[in-house]
Amino acid sequence: MMGRRHLACAVVVVAWGLEGSWGLSATAQGRRAPMVNGAASEDVLEIGGKVFRSRLLVGTGKYRSQQEMMASVEASGAEIVTVAVRRLEASTTSMLAGKIDWSRVWMLPNTAGCTTADEAIEVARIGRAIARTVGQPENNFVKLEVIPDPKYLLPDPVGTLAAAERLVKEGFAVLPYCSPDPVLCRHLEDVGCATVMPLGSPIGSGQGIDAAACIGVICENAGVPVVVDAGLRTPSDAALALEMGADAVLANSAIARAADSPGMARAFKLAVEAGRLGYRSRFMDKSDRAVASSPMTGLPLEYLGDAAA
C-alpha cells in the first residue's frame, strides 16, 4: 500500500505534469548535456556566481573528534563546508581558528536551530560576519534552515520562503533547505534563491532518497542548481541523486556517523563523481524484453543451433 508521503508526492507530480507552467529551463537543459569527448573537466557547479568543481558538500557536526572531522573534509574533496552558526561545537570553534585552509574551502554558514524566519535572518547575518573573519569578505552564502518541528525536523515552507525573500534582498546567496515540493522550489527560485535543497528524507534518518519522484520533477524543471540534502546513508544514495539529475548533494551524518568517517567521505566523493559522469554519459534505454548482448551474425551455422531456424 502506498504510504501517505508517497501518495502526496505522486499527487504533486501528476498535478504538476498537467498544469505546471515551467518549461525546461536553460539550466535544466545544461544538466542534460551529454559528455563531449569525455570533457568532464569542463563540467563545473556554479552557485551564486562562484564556480566549484566538487559536487559534494559536507557538514562539520557529529564527528567524534576534531581530527576525524578534518580528515573527513580532506578525504571528501569538498570545496563547500557547512558550519552551524548556532551550534559552534568545540571542533568547529577550533576549525574556525585556522585548522582548515579557507583559501581552498568555501564556508557555508547555516541557520540550523532556527525556528522562525526572523531568527534565521539574524543568524544568517552573524554567519556572514564569521565568514569574513576567516578571510572570505565576499562570502554572502547562507544555507537557510527554518525548522520549528523538533520531532521530525521538517522545514517550515512558509517561514523558509519568507526568510529567503528577505535575505535575497539583503544581498545573500540563499541555499534553502526545503521539502521535496516542486511548487515550493519554484517559488524559492522565483524570489531569487541561488539553489534549492530538497531533502531526500528526514535529517539524520539514513532513509536515503524517499521522495525520488518529486526530486526528479524538481531536477527536470529547476533553473538553479538542485542540491539533495538530508537523509542520505550510503554512497549509492549520493550516486542516485546525481543520476537523477541533481547538481550536487550535501552529506553530514552519513559521513560523521560512519565507523570510518574519512573512508566514507572518500566513498561519497567517488559516488558523486560516478553518478554525475553516468548522468552526463546518458543511460541506455529501458526495454520491456530481453535484448541479446552478443551478435548472432557472422557465426558458423552449426553453432547457431535452433536460432538459425
Side-chain angles (χ1 to χ4, degrees):
M1 181 178 294
M2 181 179 289
R4 283 183 293 178
R5 281 185 296 176
H6 295 87
L7 178 60
C9 186
V11 170
V12 169
V13 172
V14 171
W16 197 252
L18 292 175
E19 300 179 3
S21 58
W22 273 352
L24 191 61
S25 68
T27 298
Q29 290 174 0
R31 287 197 200 98
R32 289 170 167 248
M35 296 290 292
V36 179
N37 297 324
S41 61
E42 299 177 3
D43 181 40
V44 296
L45 173 65
E46 184 172 349
I47 299 175
K50 191 168 179 62
V51 173
F52 305 94
R53 282 176 168 71
S54 173
R55 293 177 179 272
L56 174 61
L57 291 66
V58 297
T60 53
K62 303 291 185 183
Y63 289 94
R64 288 167 286 259
S65 69
Q66 172 189 319
Q67 291 72 23
E68 184 179 62
M69 181 270 292
M70 297 293 302
S72 298
V73 170
E74 182 69 22
S76 73
E79 296 174 287
I80 302 177
V81 175
T82 65
V83 174
V85 176
R86 290 196 57 180
R87 299 173 180 171
L88 292 179
E89 304 166 0
S91 61
T92 307
T93 303
S94 298
M95 176 190 67
L96 292 176
K99 298 296 184 181
I100 281 184
D101 183 355
W102 292 107
S103 67
R104 296 173 51 210
V105 177
W106 193 247
M107 180 184 289
L108 176 58
N110 72 56
T111 64
C114 295
T115 60
T116 67
D118 288 340
E119 190 178 12
I121 290 168
E122 185 60 33
V123 170
R125 293 167 180 157
I126 295 171
R128 180 162 59 181
I130 291 174
R132 289 170 179 166
T133 67
V134 299
Q136 297 180 0
E138 74 282 16
N139 190 337
N140 62 345
F141 279 37
V142 61
K143 183 193 174 193
L144 175 62
E145 298 184 26
V146 181
I147 303 177
D149 167 27
K151 182 176 182 180
Y152 299 106
L153 300 178
L154 296 174
D156 174 8
V158 177
T160 299
L161 184 60
E165 187 168 14
R166 290 167 60 185
L167 287 169
V168 168
K169 289 178 180 178
E170 291 189 21
F172 282 89
V174 180
L175 290 72
Y177 171 65
C178 61
S179 297
D181 179 349
V183 179
L184 173 60
C185 287
R186 177 188 181 185
H187 289 312
L188 289 167
E189 181 180 338
D190 285 346
V191 301
C193 289
T195 69
V196 290
M197 300 183 72
L199 60 88
S201 56
I203 295 174
S205 68
Q207 295 177 19
I209 299 179
D210 192 42
C214 286
I215 290 176
V217 174
I218 294 168
C219 291
E220 184 176 359
N221 293 286
V224 294
V226 177
V227 183
V228 175
D229 180 18
L232 304 184
R233 176 173 175 266
T234 65
S236 60
D237 292 331
L240 175 60
L242 274 292
E243 288 171 0
M244 290 168 56
D247 296 274
V249 298
L250 192 156
N252 188 171
S253 296
I255 296 173
R257 290 165 55 187
D260 176 0
S261 294
M264 187 62 72
R266 177 161 169 74
F268 264 78
K269 173 183 183 292
L270 297 173
V272 167
E273 292 173 357
R276 178 62 178 178
L277 182 58
Y279 179 77
R280 294 192 72 218
S281 300
R282 301 294 184 95
F283 306 113
M284 62 174 283
D285 294 331
K286 286 185 178 180
S287 173
D288 59 1
R289 58 184 295 180
V291 179
S293 58
S294 300
M296 301 297 288
T297 58
L299 294 177
L301 289 178
E302 59 268 25
Y303 290 103
L304 293 179
D306 293 339

